[in-house]
């Protein structure tokens, strides 16, 4: 054992020595200047002679194939720097956005997370001149959760052509328009500009970023319409434009996003008909579009988006009936249509959706008999909300409890008391809603086994 340990130690020492010898002195000096300028943690020069050979928080080095001279194959270069949240170096209150970091010739990833947060002063978000960035090999730049970082998105971003992942998110003081030059970043796979204070239109040139898989512009103040050019992003899997100030219709070109799995457009000023061809979105699992003044009927084509798991269209002025076709969405787990102007019956097909787990149809003008059986009601429990539909009633005599949100249907007119008469919609001829409380379905819906058995017998006899 001691011999083995000694051998291991010798090996580690030799690796460290080789690395120390390998690190480029100019690169090492640039790294030290960046560390000293940004970090509040330590006197980096005294930590050790060899940053790449010993573990430094926030620093990653790698041999870069094809870089430098061929003799020293093990030559290590700074490839990743991480500032901000522990275990990475915390940032000084006076740290400026470090331009020198972009002079590290082999840097691939640069992170500033919870870095710039001096409550007493802001730090401008600036970049070196374009000329200094054009030879950059940076693939990932992440500037996230920096409450004191201020200014606009620097136009020089467009010069970092090697970028694949650009995240500028949760920096409340980053404002202004997105530079059109963003269209130059043809290698971008992920663009996340969410939770800033960006304004102006969504640049149509984003449609040129044909490798884009994720686009998140949510929680800003973008205005104008959704550019039709976004429909050119054939690789896009996630599109989130929610919580902006977007107006106009959903562009027809959106049906060209055939790789899309997640589409969120909630909390905007979007209106008008959803485009035909929604069923082309054959991988779409999440369609989240609440709080828009749509004011149109729900298209039956929604039922042809075969993989849909969540359909959330609440509070958007939809009128007409709930399309029967929704009963085809076998993967549906969540359907939120509350607070619209929907009328007519609840499609019976919904009761056959075996994955359904959250159904909110409250505050509409739905009427008729609720087509759900005891098993369905028990499965959804408190995740079912049918309240605020005065014309609805339940006809399942097996399901009786004090606290139900929809009244029990009563045969004939005798029990159709004043509450039914007060309903704005005419009750069914055979049934009249008998409203008990304004609450929701109780979690403790009880089945009376005897009643069930009797029902079954009756059915068999008939
Ligand atoms: C930009 O490039 C010039 C010329 O190579 C150089 O002198 C200068 O230090 C660079 N600036 C930065 C911030 O890297
Ligand atoms: C959204 O747009 C409206 C009308 O153009 C404007 O009055 C409002 O201030 C905007 N809201 C935000 C958050 O930008
Ligand atoms: C429903 O329609 C009425 C009148 O047609 C309108 O006043 C009301 O705002 C609409 N409700 C919703 C939630 O859009
Ligand atoms: C249904 O939506 C209403 C808003 O209209 C909300 O208050 C209620 O909590 C929701 N119910 C469920 C079960 O999600």
């Amino acid at each position: 054992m001691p011999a083995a340990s000694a051998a291991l130690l010798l090996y580690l020492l030799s690796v460290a020595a080789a690395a120390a010898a390998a690190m480029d002195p100019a690169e090492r000096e640039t790294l030290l200047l960046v560390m000293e300028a940004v970090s509040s943690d330590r006197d980096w020069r005294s930590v050790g002679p060899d940053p790449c050979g010993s573990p430094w928080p926030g620093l990653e080095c790698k041999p870069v194939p094809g870089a430098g001279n061929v003799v020293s194959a093990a030559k290590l270069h700074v490839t990743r720097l991480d500032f901000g949240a522990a275990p990475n170096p915390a940032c000084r209150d006076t740290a400026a956005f470090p331009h020198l970091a972009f002079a590290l010739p082999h840097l691939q990833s640069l992170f500033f997370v919870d870095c710039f947060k001096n409550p007493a002063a802001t730090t401008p978000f600036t970049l070196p001149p374009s000329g200094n960035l054009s030879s950059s090999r940076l693939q990932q730049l992440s500037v996230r959760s920096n409450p004191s970082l201020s200014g606009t998105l620097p136009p020089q971003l467009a010069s970092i052509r090697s970028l694949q992942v650009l995240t500028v998110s949760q920096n409340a003081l980053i404002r202004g328009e997105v530079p059109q030059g963003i269209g130059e970043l043809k290698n971008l796979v992920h663009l996340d500009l969410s939770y800033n204070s960006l304004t102006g239109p969504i640049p149509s040139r984003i449609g040129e970023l044909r490798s884009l898989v994720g686009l998140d512009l949510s929680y800003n103040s973008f205005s104008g319409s959704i550019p039709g050019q976004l429909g050119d992003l054939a690789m896009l899997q996630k599109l989130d434009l929610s919580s902006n100030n977007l107006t106009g219709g959903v562009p027809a070109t959106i049906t060209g996003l055939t790789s899309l799995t997640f589409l969120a457009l909630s909390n905007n000023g979007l209106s008008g008909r959803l485009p035909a061809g929604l069923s082309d979105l054959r991988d779409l699992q999440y369609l989240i579009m609440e709080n828009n003044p749509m004011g149109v009927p729900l298209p039956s084509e929604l039922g042809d988006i075969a993989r849909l798991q969540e359909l959330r269209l609440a509070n958007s002025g939809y009128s007409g009936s709930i399309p029967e076709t929704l009963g085809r969405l076998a993967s549906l787990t969540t359907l939120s249509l509350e607070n619209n102007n929907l009328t007519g019956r609840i499609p019976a097909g919904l009761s056959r959706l075996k994955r359904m787990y959250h159904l909110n149809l409250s505050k509409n003008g739905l009427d008729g008999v609720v087509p759900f059986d005891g098993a369905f009601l028990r499965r959804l429990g408190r995740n079912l909300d049918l309240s605020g539909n005065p014309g609805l009633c339940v006809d399942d005599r097996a399901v009786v409890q004090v606290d139900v949100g929809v009244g029990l249907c009563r045969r004939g007119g005798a029990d159709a008391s004043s509450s039914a008469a007060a309903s704005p919609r005419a009750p069914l001829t055979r049934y009249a809603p008998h409203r008990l409380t304004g609450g929701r379905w109780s979690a403790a819906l009880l089945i009376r086994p005897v009643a069930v058995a009797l029902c079954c017998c009756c059915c068999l006899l008939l």
Side-chain angles (χ1 to χ4, degrees), residues 314-315 336 338-339 358-363 381-387 440:
N315 196 26
S336 299
E338 69 268 20
N339 205 21
H358 193 155
L359 176 60
N360 199 341
L361 303 178
S362 70
K363 297 190 191 161
R382 287 197 175 275
N383 291 326
L384 175 64
D385 195 342
L386 303 176
S387 64
R440 296 202 312 260

Side-chain angles (χ1 to χ4, degrees), residues 221-243:
S221 295
F222 289 114
S223 56
S225 54
I226 300 174
Q229 288 88 340
L230 293 193
D232 296 336
L233 302 172
M235 310 277 278
L236 203 63
Q237 292 174 17
K238 176 186 169 177
L239 176 59
D240 193 345
L241 305 178
S242 49
S243 297

Side-chain angles (χ1 to χ4, degrees), residues 293-306:
M294 299 297 282
V296 292
L298 288 174
S300 59
E301 203 182 351
L302 286 172
D304 297 326
I305 309 177

